[in-house]
Amino acid sequence: MLADYHMHFEYGSYDEEWVKGFFESAYKKGVTELGITEHSHGFKEFKDLYYDELILDNSEIGEFQKKWLGNAKSKFVHTLDEYRDFINSLKQKGYPVKFGIEVCNFRNQERVSEILSKYDFDYIIVSIHFIKGWGFDFSALKDIFEKQSVYNIWEDYVREIENVAQSGLYDILGHPFNLRLFNNFPEKNVDDLLEKTAEILKENNMAIDINTGTYYRYPINEISPYEDFMKLVKKYEIPVILSSDAHEPGHAGFMIKEAAEYALSFGIDKFLRFDKKKRISEMICLKNK
């Protein structure tokens, strides 16, 4: 079997007619279980955290991020209760679905813990989307990379990983080193930063997300994490999930077989599934390989 454990319903509504297309698309691609990981910015409970921690001044970054947060169609639309109840309704109807969430890297992990502790998630992804309040993966703000040392940005990125990993809240780091999305590469060797990241994840018993969304949605056109870090994933025996990062039905299960082949190319022959935080290790077995 194959599972796709990072995707979002947020471009539509919590309606079976919208979401059944994700399952139909995935089945056609050989994927038999989906993990839904709605973004934390879709939920009312997280609103104050975004307004507290993002740059929202009159700078280029601040003006863009104010508009981003102000998009009423996609930001803080639902409650976590509504999300949980919808996923449970899908489970009751027989859909092979898991209840996950993708949380941004907030500094206030105590508040995040208070929010998450009320829900029985199957697993929780944390993704680094902001560095010192700047959303570095917004295409509208990618020019900021040209105004700073890219190596220093990578150092800050690793510090963000360390902060969230040490909270003990998270099962998985989403799309590691998505700093590369717009082809911004450090001016010097980052092996020390990659090694430190692998050590942090190992010490905190976290898995990583082999994510094909960075291949088909961004200029870098590569599966995350990139090869240099994948070698360390193997070295440190860090578990992996497979994911498409789909935001629409047709992308569910997209390139999951390629993600599995990518893992195998580094000698990684298992991936994780989850059930109420319990890890289930599955062999990567590809038909017609």
Side-chain angles (χ1 to χ4, degrees):
M1 71 167 296
L2 290 174
D4 184 345
Y5 260 42
H6 183 159
M7 66 176 63
H8 310 279
F9 289 158
E10 66 189 55
Y11 287 179
S13 59
Y14 288 168
D15 176 84
E16 187 179 359
E17 284 303 307
W18 164 249
V19 305
K20 70 180 182 181
F22 285 81
F23 294 91
E24 292 168 352
S25 174
Y27 295 156
K28 292 175 183 177
K29 300 178 182 75
V31 175
T32 55
E33 183 173 81
L34 301 187
I36 311 306
T37 52
E38 294 286 69
H39 287 292
S40 51
H41 60 63
F43 299 110
K44 300 179 191 297
E45 291 88 344
F46 288 92
K47 184 175 182 177
D48 288 348
L49 281 164
Y50 283 95
Y51 278 92
D52 288 345
E53 299 197 9
L54 268 58
I55 295 171
L56 299 173
D57 56 18
N58 295 326
S59 65
E60 175 189 2
I61 295 173
E63 291 294 344
F64 176 82
Q65 293 184 166
K66 282 187 284 190
K67 291 178 182 177
W68 181 73
L69 287 177
N71 182 352
K73 292 183 178 179
S74 63
K75 302 299 177 291
F76 319 118
V77 176
H78 298 286
T79 65
L80 285 166
D81 281 359
E82 291 169 343
Y83 175 40
R84 176 203 58 207
D85 292 347
F86 181 64
I87 295 296
N88 283 342
S89 74
L90 294 177
K91 289 182 177 181
Q92 290 166 6
K93 292 176 181 178
Y95 286 90
V97 63
K98 295 297 181 180
F99 178 40
I101 189 169
E102 181 182 12
V103 181
C104 287
N105 55 301
F106 299 106
R107 293 187 297 274
N108 188 349
Q109 288 298 303
E110 288 186 11
R111 177 59 185 141
V112 174
S113 179
E114 290 173 3
I115 295 170
L116 297 178
S117 65
K118 299 174 184 177
Y119 298 91
D120 193 14
F121 290 101
D122 288 306
Y123 62 98
I124 301 173
I125 295 176
V126 62
S127 294
I128 312 304
H129 290 130
F130 299 94
I131 294 175
K132 297 179 178 177
W134 157 49
F136 63 85
D137 57 357
F138 291 126
S139 61
L141 299 177
K142 63 184 179 181
D143 63 304
I144 305 300
F145 278 98
E146 301 170 6
K147 302 175 182 179
Q148 303 179 38
S149 159
V150 176
Y151 181 85
N152 289 347
I153 293 172
W154 279 54
E155 283 187 309
D156 289 337
Y157 179 91
V158 174
R159 291 189 190 101
E160 296 285 354
I161 294 173
E162 188 168 26
N163 179 54
V164 295
Q166 290 179 344
S167 73
L169 295 175
Y170 307 105
D171 303 291
I172 302 155
L173 176 65
H175 41 63
F177 294 96
N178 51 321
L179 286 163
R180 295 167 55 89
L181 294 178
F182 303 111
N183 295 298
N184 294 292
F185 307 122
E187 60 274 17
K188 58 183 180 179
N189 187 287
V190 292
D191 287 353
D192 58 332
L193 299 179
L194 300 183
E195 193 92 28
K196 181 177 180 180
T197 300
E199 290 171 352
I200 290 167
L201 295 175
K202 185 67 174 180
E203 289 168 4
N204 291 281
N205 194 30
M206 288 179 65
I208 62 104
D209 171 26
I210 297 182
N211 188 305
T212 67
T214 52
Y215 182 92
Y216 69 87
R217 297 177 60 221
Y218 292 95
I220 189 64
N221 294 133
E222 69 180 12
I223 295 174
S224 291
Y226 74 117
E227 291 184 358
D228 289 355
F229 191 65
M230 282 295 291
K231 293 173 184 175
L232 294 174
V233 171
K234 172 60 177 177
K235 174 183 173 181
Y236 283 84
E237 298 182 326
I238 297 169
V240 307
I241 64 165
L242 308 175
S243 82
S244 65
D245 211 340
H247 287 64
E248 58 186 74
H251 287 158
F254 190 69
M255 294 182 66
I256 290 297
K257 288 185 178 179
E258 287 84 349
E261 290 169 351
Y262 185 58
L264 288 170
S265 73
F266 293 92
I268 299 166
D269 60 2
K270 299 181 180 68
F271 69 95
L272 289 182
R273 296 170 51 234
F274 286 84
D275 185 55
K276 294 182 176 13
K277 291 286 194 158
K278 179 183 176 182
R279 297 184 176 196
I280 303 164
S281 184
E282 301 279 0
M283 294 296 298
I284 296 175
C285 183
L286 299 176
K287 295 180 180 179
N288 304 318
K289 185 176 178 297

